[in-house]
């Protein structure tokens, strides 16, 4: 298995992105600057920033500072934490004397006074009248003990005497800015590079506070700020933080971000060729020693640079880079060839999600081995793809094999139909299986090797029990944006619901699948779907936006007891399936409902619908 943390070992060929960042930092005329390293969760932002850091680590004239606002979430004002951290790092690494010492002390006092101001806003004006004696300063440097304490009372008096608070703030910012530049000069720092990671995991207030601290207080000569985040989530935070600003949600977030980030550098998803090389390097790392692997990695990336649009590292050319391709590595590279085409689409070329998928695959295989069972990794991987992206189909196959000693009898027909259409055989299938064949993803999955017809799947599903027994864990695997949208989808306000559902079109396939599963689980626990907007209706509205989940929706509804279905279900499903490949499946479901004995009112409505078809 592989470590899931960021790394400075490049498996993907990010050197051109690293060079893009460092070329800006190395150009003195471009400083101060703010650089945005943008990409989805798991795209490699943290690793790229680590590679940038590595380049400057040996240069004593360049100060590297790492800051993770998420660690301070909920404890302190992020703006002052960031400012204090940077000044503290300068003190720690440069050990200022004489004039620089006094400047640093003045800056730390200014930061502490800002904390008083923040606390006054939070706790009321009475807090400020207490004075600094009751304040627990969070700056840990010994520098304050070397010099006399700041005259906080005079500072507060100046604040109270001023008739223009905006002018006071302006002067404070200017004073801090000038002192900060002077400290950099006096400590002989060539450049300060601040790496800010995980910003997209923070609350809107923390996001905005961090960005504003950079621009208002810290944007000084010889400084470069590198912000790693998903720009969609930052834009979302901007809109949440400033709801009063008129304009489209996307435009407001974009305009604000463009003012704060001067140089955006976006990490694109991996292509099929890039993902193939990435996965095969991961497997090569497992089956070669460290010294040889590093030689292989460098050789592969060097070859990729020669032909970046045509080269891929794979089994056929592995012997050109590896001294001896043993059986374990051969098997792994064969497995990669089966997985890569679906993973490239399903995981949107995301390195971390790919690594986690493969880690889960190897972990389940190891668990089987510990019990003396030998599982075919290719079969296990194929089922896991279904488990990850099409949970209702996965659960349906589990139920079928559980009732038939591990065999899913319908799979043979479905695999044949996935390759070549046959209307007669299609009509013989249960309605839920017909809906699966209308889904292009499932059709591609069915036609991929290895075939699962006549394979005993009991052991494979046994080691997937963690998925089959999920209860509430879907929310935990959502991104922060997906969790927020899920909560809004459950809101009583139709406006809030509608806006949230519309915004789900920006989510990854993994996030949308997790929302689907959470809504489905909630609906099953509720029983009868009553009222104007039951959970079932919200799930259908969600699938109108995430159309790739319609087959899962129809499969889910087809298995529900008729008595829990609302009378509007026929209208809702006709609306989502009209003039699509799913329309025949919905018509078949309506036909089944017309014969219902447990929901006679629904049966009556279904009969009338059939007459109009």
């Amino acid at each position: 298995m592989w470590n899931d943390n960021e790394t400075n070992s490049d498996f993907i060929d990010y050197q051109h992105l690293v060079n893009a960042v460092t070329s800006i930092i190395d150009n003195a005329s471009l400083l101060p600057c703010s650089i945005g390293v943008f990409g989805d969760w798991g795209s490699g932002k943290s690793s790229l920033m680590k590679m940038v850091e590595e380049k400057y680590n040996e240069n004593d004239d360049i100060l590297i500072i790492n800051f993770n606002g998420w660690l301070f979430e909920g404890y302190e004002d992020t703006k002052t934490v960031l400012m204090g951290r940077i000044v503290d790092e300068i003190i720690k690494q440069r050990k200022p004397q004489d004039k620089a010492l006094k400047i640093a002390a003045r800056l730390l006092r200014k930061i502490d006074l800002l904390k008083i101001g923040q606390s006054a806003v939070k706790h009321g004006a009475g807090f400020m009248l207490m004075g600094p004696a009751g304040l627990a300063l969070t700056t840990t440097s010994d520098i304050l003990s070397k010099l006399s304490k700041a005259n906080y009372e005079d500072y507060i008096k100046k604040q109270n005497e001023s008739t223009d608070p905006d002018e006071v703030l302006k002067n404070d910012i200017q004073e801090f800015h000038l002192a900060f530049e002077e400290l950099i000069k006096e400590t002989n720092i060539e450049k300060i590079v601040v790496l800010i990671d995980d910003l997209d995991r923070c609350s809107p207030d923390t996001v905005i506070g961090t960005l504003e601290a950079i621009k208002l207080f810290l944007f000084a000569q010889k400084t470069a700020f590198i912000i790693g985040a998903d720009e969609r989530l930052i834009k979302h935070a901007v809109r949440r933080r400033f709801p009063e600003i008129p304009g489209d949600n996307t435009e407001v977030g974009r305009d604000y971000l463009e003012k704060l980030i001067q140089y955006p550098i976006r990490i694109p998803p991996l292509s099929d060729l890039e993902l193939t090389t990435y996965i095969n390097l991961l497997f090569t790392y497992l089956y070669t020693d460290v010294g040889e692997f590093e030689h292989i990695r460098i050789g592969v990336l060097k070859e990729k640079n020669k032909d970046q649009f045509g080269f891929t590292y794979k089994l056929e050319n592995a012997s050109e880079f590896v001294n001896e391709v043993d059986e374990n590595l051969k098997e792994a590279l064969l497995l990669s060839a089966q997985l890569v085409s679906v993973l490239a689409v399903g995981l949107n070329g995301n390195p971390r999600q790919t690594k986690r998928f493969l880690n889960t695959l190897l972990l389940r295989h190891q668990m089987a081995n510990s019990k003396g069972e030998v599982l075919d990794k290719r079969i296990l991987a194929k089922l896991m793809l279904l488990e990850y992206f099409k949970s209702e189909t996965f659960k349906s196959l589990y139920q079928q094999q559980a009732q038939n000693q591990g065999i899913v009898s319908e799979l043979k027909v479905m695999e044949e139909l996935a390759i070549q259409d046959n209307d007669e055989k299609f009509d013989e299938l249960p309605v839920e299986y017909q809906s699966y064949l209308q889904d292009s993803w499932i059709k591609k999955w069915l036609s991929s090797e290895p075939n699962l017809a006549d394979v005993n799947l009991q052991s494979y599903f046994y080691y997937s029990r963690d998925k089959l027994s999920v209860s509430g864990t879907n929310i935990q695997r959502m991104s922060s944006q997906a969790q927020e949208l899920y909560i809004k989808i459950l809101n009583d306000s139709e406006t809030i619901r509608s806006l949230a559902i519309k915004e789900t079109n920006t989510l990854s396939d993994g996030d949308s699948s997790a929302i689907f599963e959470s809504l489905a689980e909630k609906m099953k626990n509720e029983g009868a779907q009553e009222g104007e907007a039951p959970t079932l209706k919200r799930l259908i509205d969600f699938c109108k936006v995430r159309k790739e989940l319609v087959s899962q929706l129809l499969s889910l509804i087809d298995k529900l007891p008729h008595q829990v279905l609302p009378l509007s279900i026929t209208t809702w499903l006709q609306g989502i399936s009209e003039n699509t490949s799913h329309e025949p499946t919905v018509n078949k479901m309506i036909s089944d409902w017309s014969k219902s004995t447990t929901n006679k009112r629904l049966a009556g409505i279904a009969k009338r619908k059939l007459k109009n078809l």
Side-chain angles (χ1 to χ4, degrees), residues 423 426-439 550-551 554-555 558 570 573-593 609-610 613:
D423 291 341
F426 181 86
D427 292 338
E428 293 173 0
L429 287 172
V431 65
E432 68 172 302
Y433 290 100
Q434 291 180 9
S435 69
Y436 298 154
L437 285 167
Q438 306 298 338
D439 186 315
V550 172
S551 67
L554 299 182
S555 174
D558 188 52
T570 56
L573 290 190
Q574 283 183 322
I576 202 173
S577 65
E578 188 176 10
N579 297 324
T580 73
S581 60
H582 295 289
E583 191 169 20
T585 303
V586 170
N587 292 342
K588 178 69 165 56
M589 292 170 70
I590 293 174
S591 177
D592 291 343
W593 293 333
K609 291 284 185 182
L610 285 175
L613 293 178

Side-chain angles (χ1 to χ4, degrees), residues 357-540:
F357 179 93
L358 295 173
N359 270 338
T360 303
L361 170 69
L362 295 181
L363 183 61
R364 290 182 180 178
H365 192 264
Q366 289 170 8
M367 290 192 309
N369 283 345
S370 69
K371 283 181 166 284
E373 295 188 61
V374 179
L375 299 184
D376 185 322
K377 286 180 184 175
R378 299 201 309 148
I379 293 175
L380 180 59
K382 184 169 180 176
L383 281 174
M384 281 180 57
L385 290 171
L386 190 69
E387 170 189 353
Y388 193 90
F389 296 111
K390 302 292 179 179
S391 59
E392 288 302 316
T393 306
F394 179 77
K395 292 172 186 175
S396 178
L397 295 190
Y398 165 76
Q399 292 167 357
Q400 289 295 316
Q401 65 84 30
Q403 297 166 9
N404 196 29
Q405 298 182 326
I407 304 298
V408 181
S409 55
E410 287 86 354
L411 270 176
K412 186 171 184 178
V413 175
M414 293 175 69
E415 287 175 349
E416 291 176 3
L417 290 172
I419 298 171
Q420 187 173 2
D421 292 334
N422 185 317
D423 291 341
E424 186 176 331
K425 285 190 175 182
F426 181 86
D427 292 338
E428 293 173 0
L429 287 172
V431 65
E432 68 172 302
Y433 290 100
Q434 291 180 9
S435 69
Y436 298 154
L437 285 167
Q438 306 298 338
D439 186 315
S440 59
W441 191 98
I442 295 178
K443 205 168 181 179
K444 184 176 182 180
W445 178 85
L446 285 165
S447 61
S448 67
E449 294 290 339
N451 293 334
L452 301 182
D454 302 324
V455 175
N456 188 325
L457 300 174
Q458 277 183 317
S459 294
Y460 295 94
F461 278 105
Y462 177 84
Y463 294 102
S464 300
R465 288 179 301 167
D466 57 331
K467 177 69 175 183
L468 294 164
S469 60
V470 162
S471 178
T473 57
N474 294 313
I475 294 178
Q476 296 173 17
R477 70 180 176 95
M478 294 180 198
S479 68
S480 56
Q481 181 193 19
Q483 289 182 30
E484 186 173 344
L485 292 177
Y486 173 70
I487 292 171
K488 287 182 177 181
I489 290 172
L490 299 179
N491 196 285
D492 290 335
S493 167
E494 183 179 356
T495 301
I496 292 175
R497 280 200 314 271
S498 298
L499 290 174
I501 288 172
K502 181 181 178 181
E503 193 174 337
T504 60
N505 68 349
T506 65
L507 295 176
S508 68
D509 289 348
D511 271 342
S512 63
S513 176
I515 288 180
F516 178 94
E517 291 174 44
S518 297
L519 289 172
E521 182 181 343
K522 184 176 189 302
M523 181 193 67
K524 290 174 184 176
N525 292 335
E526 290 171 345
Q529 296 295 292
E530 301 171 341
E532 292 184 5
T535 302
L536 176 57
K537 177 62 166 61
R538 301 171 197 224
L539 184 57
I540 291 172

Side-chain angles (χ1 to χ4, degrees), residues 24-86:
I24 297 169
I25 297 172
D26 293 341
N27 189 336
S29 66
L30 298 181
L31 302 182
C33 69
S34 54
I35 303 169
V37 176
F38 296 142
D40 294 343
W41 174 89
S43 61
K45 299 184 296 295
S46 298
S47 294
L48 192 153
M49 293 169 73
K50 198 173 182 69
M51 294 173 201
V52 171
E53 179 182 2
E54 185 181 38
K55 176 180 176 180
Y56 297 112
N57 271 341
E58 301 302 319
N59 190 332
D60 293 335
D61 294 326
I62 296 179
L63 182 60
I64 302 291
I65 300 174
N66 285 285
F67 180 78
N68 191 322
W70 190 54
L71 297 178
F72 300 94
E73 187 96 71
Y75 293 97
E76 296 184 68
D77 169 58
T78 309
K79 193 186 278 96
T80 55
V81 171
L82 175 59
M83 294 160 63
R85 172 67 191 280
I86 292 175

Side-chain angles (χ1 to χ4, degrees), residues 66-125:
N66 285 285
F67 180 78
N68 191 322
W70 190 54
L71 297 178
F72 300 94
E73 187 96 71
Y75 293 97
E76 296 184 68
D77 169 58
T78 309
K79 193 186 278 96
T80 55
V81 171
L82 175 59
M83 294 160 63
R85 172 67 191 280
I86 292 175
V87 175
D88 275 343
E89 282 295 317
I90 294 174
I91 294 168
K92 178 181 175 182
Q93 297 191 39
R94 293 292 168 166
K95 297 181 174 50
Q97 301 296 321
D98 302 326
K99 183 179 180 180
L101 186 69
K102 294 178 181 179
I103 297 169
R106 193 163 77 243
L107 285 169
L108 288 177
R109 289 171 185 152
K110 180 70 73 174
I111 294 168
D112 287 330
L113 291 169
L114 284 170
K115 290 177 185 175
I116 293 177
Q118 291 293 333
S119 296
V121 172
K122 183 177 180 180
H123 300 287

Side-chain angles (χ1 to χ4, degrees), residues 173-411:
I173 293 172
Q174 188 173 13
E175 287 174 15
F176 187 96
H177 200 271
L178 292 174
F180 184 52
E181 285 192 337
E182 194 175 2
L183 177 63
I184 295 173
K185 180 180 178 181
E186 289 296 324
T187 50
N188 296 315
I189 297 173
E190 180 185 327
K191 290 185 182 76
I192 295 178
V193 179
V194 183
L195 304 167
I196 300 175
D197 201 8
D198 284 337
L199 196 60
D200 46 12
R201 299 172 70 178
C202 300
S203 68
D205 285 344
T206 299
V207 172
I208 302 305
T210 302
L211 294 175
E212 288 181 345
I214 293 170
K215 276 295 187 181
L216 294 178
F217 293 94
L218 301 167
F219 210 60
Q221 292 299 319
K222 301 183 179 182
T223 61
F225 294 86
I226 307 173
I227 297 99
D230 183 339
E231 63 181 317
R232 297 172 304 175
L233 298 186
I234 295 184
K235 291 175 183 177
H236 177 68
V238 171
R239 190 57 183 173
R240 282 288 309 279
R241 180 65 177 78
F242 303 110
E244 71 280 0
I245 299 178
D248 178 75
N249 190 357
T250 306
E251 290 178 358
V252 171
R254 182 196 63 218
D255 293 346
Y256 186 91
L257 192 60
E258 286 179 354
K259 289 179 181 178
L260 293 176
I261 304 296
Q262 295 170 302
Y263 304 103
I265 296 174
R266 295 177 175 85
I267 302 178
L270 302 183
S271 67
D272 289 22
L273 293 179
E274 290 171 325
L275 192 64
T276 299
T277 296
Y278 174 66
I279 292 175
N280 288 337
L281 280 175
L282 286 175
F283 280 124
T284 304
Y285 176 80
L286 289 184
Y287 299 115
T288 57
D289 63 55
V290 175
E292 183 185 3
F293 173 75
E294 189 60 17
H295 177 74
I296 295 166
R297 184 186 69 82
I298 293 171
V300 167
L301 295 186
K302 185 177 180 180
E303 194 64 32
K304 181 180 182 297
N305 279 326
K306 292 179 182 177
D307 183 12
Q308 60 179 336
F309 300 114
F311 171 80
T312 185
Y313 169 56
K314 53 189 176 181
L315 178 60
E316 288 78 3
N317 60 14
S319 59
E320 298 175 19
F321 303 95
V322 184
N323 289 332
E324 183 179 352
V325 182
D326 63 19
E327 289 303 314
N328 287 327
L329 183 53
K330 282 182 182 178
E331 181 188 356
L333 297 181
L334 280 171
L335 175 64
S336 168
Q338 178 212 351
L339 292 177
V340 70
S341 61
V342 180
L343 287 179
V345 176
L347 295 179
N348 196 31
N350 186 290
R352 176 167 288 177
Q353 290 191 47
T354 299
K355 189 187 290 184
R356 288 192 172 185
F357 179 93
L358 295 173
N359 270 338
T360 303
L361 170 69
L362 295 181
L363 183 61
R364 290 182 180 178
H365 192 264
Q366 289 170 8
M367 290 192 309
N369 283 345
S370 69
K371 283 181 166 284
E373 295 188 61
V374 179
L375 299 184
D376 185 322
K377 286 180 184 175
R378 299 201 309 148
I379 293 175
L380 180 59
K382 184 169 180 176
L383 281 174
M384 281 180 57
L385 290 171
L386 190 69
E387 170 189 353
Y388 193 90
F389 296 111
K390 302 292 179 179
S391 59
E392 288 302 316
T393 306
F394 179 77
K395 292 172 186 175
S396 178
L397 295 190
Y398 165 76
Q399 292 167 357
Q400 289 295 316
Q401 65 84 30
Q403 297 166 9
N404 196 29
Q405 298 182 326
I407 304 298
V408 181
S409 55
E410 287 86 354
L411 270 176

Side-chain angles (χ1 to χ4, degrees), residues 124-138:
F127 178 85
M128 184 174 287
L129 298 178
M130 291 169 56
L135 179 65
L137 299 179
T138 59

